[in-house]
């Protein structure tokens, strides 16, 4: 089992207003068994189970698989939080498969249940705790013998969790992902153990991943950690300083993904546009994107989590000139008033943010812009909030996430004076989201009649008669979708579709041309 609850409310997840948070929703399941269908290509083994889900692991990761610890155990996993945490889950599943474990989609049949938690802000922590407690019930109602907690919450609160939730058998920090099989072996021996150290783990593609997303669209993590010092953020303490992966490792993994069905690669990190700046003589993100664009099978390159002060002119040019890069810029700005931005630890960058948006739109007139903002930050005055509303009305972003400020212990912002009352935060949140909803609806209505290239993600959850698709201007999970009902195409197919209806967040279209495999900006 791997259930991925991706819409955890964090400042960096950029969740649209229509999201309804609940544990164990939006589940993505993957399962392999001796009966599973396998295909082998270029060193990777792809498993396709009876549920139709895909699993991808390199054969070198299976060569030494053998009995270690609970090698006959069935393991289920729940992955909470953002796409970066999902990749961590896939890495851990890869290590378990390599050690001889079986992955099951049935929680009641799992001998071991792992909850990979999110712990950035209050709602994320609550969701993680609720999910841990829910999974603990399978010790009574199922055959669960071990409950393991991993991820940001375990990194931050391992001692408290072990004391308060006795059902937990083991804790694994963010810097110990490759030690999960060792932890399970210790638990099998009757120990209650915690592996939590410094958050310095760096992903090596040779560790292998069990890919749990649809085969045609895969995340590609290019760096770990964060070296920014935003006053409200706990990420550096949970994930360590910024560490770029090697370009050769990233490109190698990208080729493996492409050879096994990926047509869209989604680059992620805490700050993707800072890629390579921490390594001597390393290529930056523009050069990395150029090399990734040479992979023949890749149709779209999408970049998430860029940062306004590291988005260089060279990167803008690469976005404009590389025909495979989606004209979609994910740019968390957090506020529009310099005084608030300075209190946030981001510097007086309001005008620089405006200039960057101007350059992006000048260079790519069709660019879709996504951002996120915090309302109710300590000391935010009515006038500063009104300035944010004016900025939203002026820029008219395509996609926006608004988040009421959450005071996190251990951060500078939590100690600031003039904390905003919760009812004021909520009122400001509602006003900002109402404004953005109107902007989003207006922009979507303006798209009616336009023809876009779209990728088919699969049938809708409501009915197989309606397909869910996206254009280059929409990222999976966090943005609205395009619904198509006039014909059926398989997941991963590209087609041209005409927009016929526009709503607050979603669009309705009809397919007008099939099989055009030209790049999205070609």
């Amino acid at each position: 089992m791997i259930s991925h609850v991706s819409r955890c409310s964090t400042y960096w997840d950029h969740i649209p207003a229509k999201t309804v948070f609940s544990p164990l929703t939006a589940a993505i399941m993957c399962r392999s068994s001796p009966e599973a269908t396998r295909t082998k290509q270029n060193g990777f083994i792809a498993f396709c189970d009876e549920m139709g889900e895909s699993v991808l692991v390199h054969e070198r990761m299976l060569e030494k698989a053998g009995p270690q610890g609970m090698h006959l155990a069935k393991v289920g996993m729940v992955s909470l939080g953002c796409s970066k945490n999902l990749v961590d889950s896939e890495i851990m599943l890869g290590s378990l498969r390599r050690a001889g474990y079986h992955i099951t989609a049935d929680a009641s049949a799992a001998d071991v249940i792992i909850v990979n938690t999110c712990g950035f802000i209050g709602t994320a922590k609550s969701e993680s705790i609720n999910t841990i407690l829910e999974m603990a019930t399978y010790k009574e109602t199922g055959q669960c013998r071990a409950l393991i907690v991993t991820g940001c919450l375990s990194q931050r609160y391992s001692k408290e969790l072990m004391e308060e939730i006795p059902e937990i058998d083991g804790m694994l920090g963010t810097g110990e992902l490759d030690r999960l099989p060792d932890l399970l072996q210790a638990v099998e021996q009757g120990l209650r153990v915690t592996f939590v150290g410094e958050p310095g783990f760096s992903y090596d593609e040779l560790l292998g991943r069990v890919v749990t997303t649809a085969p045609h669209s895969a995340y590609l993590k290019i760096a770990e950690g964060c070296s920014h010092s935003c006053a409200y953020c706990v990420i550096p303490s949970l994930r360590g300083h910024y560490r770029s992966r090697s370009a050769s490792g990233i490109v190698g993994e990208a080729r493996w993904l492409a050879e096994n069905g990926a047509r869209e690669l989604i680059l992620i990190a805490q700050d993707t546009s800072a890629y390579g700046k921490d390594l001597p003589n390393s290529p930056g993100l523009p050069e990395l994107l150029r090399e990734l664009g040479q992979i023949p099978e890749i149709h779209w390159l999408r970049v998430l989590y860029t940062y306004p002060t590291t988005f260089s002119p060279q990167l803008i040019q690469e976005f404009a000139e590389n025909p495979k890069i989606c004209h979609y810029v994910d740019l968390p700005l957090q506020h529009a008033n310099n005084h608030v931005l300075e209190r946030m630890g981001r510097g007086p960058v309001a005008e620089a943010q405006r200039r960057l948006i101007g350059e992006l739109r000048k260079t790519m007139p069709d660019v879709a812009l996504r951002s996120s903002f915090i309302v109710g930050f300590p000391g935010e005055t009515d006038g500063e909030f009104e300035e944010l509303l004016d900025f939203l009305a002026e820029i008219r972003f395509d996609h926006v996430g608004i988040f009421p400020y959450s005071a996190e212990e251990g951060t500078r912002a939590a100690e600031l004076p003039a904390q905003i009352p919760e009812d004021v935060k909520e009122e400001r949140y509602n006003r900002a989201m109402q404004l953005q909803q109107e902007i989003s609806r207006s922009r979507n209505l303006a798209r009616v009649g336009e023809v876009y290239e779209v990728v088919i993600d699969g049938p809708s959850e409501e009915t197989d008669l309606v397909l869910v698709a996206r254009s280059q201007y929409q990222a999976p999970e966090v943005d609205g979708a395009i619904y198509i009902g006039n014909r059926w195409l398989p997941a991963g197919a590209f087609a041209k579709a005409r927009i016929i209806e526009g709503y607050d967040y979603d669009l309705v279209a009809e397919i007008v041309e099939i099989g055009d495999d030209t790049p999205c900006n070609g």
Side-chain angles (χ1 to χ4, degrees), residues 451 487 489 494-498 510-516:
V451 175
R487 64 184 307 167
L489 288 174
F494 284 84
K496 295 291 181 66
R498 178 181 294 109
E510 57 185 10
I511 292 174
V512 296
E513 184 179 331
I514 299 173
D516 186 352

Side-chain angles (χ1 to χ4, degrees), residues 448-498:
V448 173
E450 297 289 329
V451 175
Y452 298 130
E453 183 182 47
V454 301
V455 63
I456 306 299
D457 283 331
S460 74
E461 294 181 359
E462 290 76 20
T463 172
D464 290 344
L465 300 177
V466 175
L467 296 176
V468 179
R470 291 178 292 111
S471 72
Q472 63 166 316
Y473 309 115
Q474 297 162 305
E477 300 188 5
V478 296
D479 296 333
I482 299 174
Y483 292 91
I484 297 171
N486 71 318
R487 64 184 307 167
W488 185 91
L489 288 174
F494 284 84
K496 295 291 181 66
R498 178 181 294 109

Side-chain angles (χ1 to χ4, degrees), residues 335 375 380-389 428 431-432:
H335 214 278
V375 297
E380 183 189 53
T381 65
D382 290 341
E384 290 167 345
F385 172 67
E386 293 294 336
E387 186 173 334
L388 174 59
L389 293 183
R428 290 178 181 177
R431 286 185 62 193

Side-chain angles (χ1 to χ4, degrees), residues 103-133:
I103 300 169
T104 179
D106 183 357
S108 65
D111 302 300
V112 180
I113 296 178
I114 302 164
V115 181
N116 192 21
T117 60
C118 177
F120 290 143
I121 61 174
T123 52
K125 289 184 286 188
S126 296
E127 185 180 36
S128 292
I129 294 295
N130 290 338
T131 304
I132 292 168
L133 295 174

Side-chain angles (χ1 to χ4, degrees), residues 18-30:
K18 66 174 181 175
T19 300
V20 178
F21 300 104
S22 62
L24 305 176
T25 57
I28 301 174
M29 304 275 191
C30 75

